[in-house]
Amino acid sequence: VMMAKEHHAFARQALENAVRIEPGNDRYRRLLARARLATEDPLAALESVLSLTDFAADDAPMLRQLADGLLQVRREAEAVRLIDHVLPRLPGDVPLLHAGAEARVRLGRIDAALALLAAHGGPEAHPSLW
């Protein structure tokens, strides 16, 4: 409710408390990542996301926003960690692939960026991957 009413700081505090009480609750961790993103703290949001092991298509917008947020604050290595963590579970997500390639290029790892795109560029791949 607090997130819906855009009381992100209060929601973040409540969710951090909930995660402390029930650390294994993935639903709380997802919501906490969203609250941390809403309070413009992508590194803290990354911490929440990296503790998750399962992702669904409805997580993709938040993960894209997190990847973009990390790239905006010039945290390319962290963006690579995020992409490497989530991409095996969401392999067809083109914006995440682009973010992963961009992060690798910014780190000077052009071969790794090309390898990432090639690994996901099959005959049915999105045209932007070619």
Side-chain angles (χ1 to χ4, degrees), residues 27-112:
R27 182 169 182 266
Y28 291 162
R29 290 187 178 282
R30 276 185 177 74
L31 289 169
L32 178 57
R34 288 185 173 103
R36 287 175 167 173
L37 268 176
T39 58
E40 299 179 10
D41 192 353
L43 292 175
L46 176 64
E47 177 188 324
S48 295
V49 169
L50 290 178
S51 69
L52 299 170
T53 58
D54 190 32
F55 299 95
D58 61 337
D59 292 322
M62 183 261 301
L63 296 169
R64 292 179 197 135
Q65 183 183 2
L66 177 55
D68 289 343
L70 290 168
L71 290 173
Q72 285 177 1
V73 296
R74 312 262 332 141
R75 301 303 292 238
E76 290 85 7
E78 288 82 359
V80 169
R81 283 182 55 215
L82 168 70
I83 300 302
D84 289 349
H85 183 71
V86 302
L87 208 50
R89 291 149 187 102
L90 298 170
D93 195 281
V94 175
L96 287 175
L97 283 167
H98 285 236
E102 180 179 346
R104 285 167 172 79
V105 167
R106 287 186 186 185
L107 289 170
R109 297 171 42 200
I110 295 170
D111 290 342

Side-chain angles (χ1 to χ4, degrees), residues 7 19 74 76 79 88 127 129-130:
H7 298 300
V19 167
R74 312 262 332 141
E76 290 85 7
L129 298 178
W130 291 103

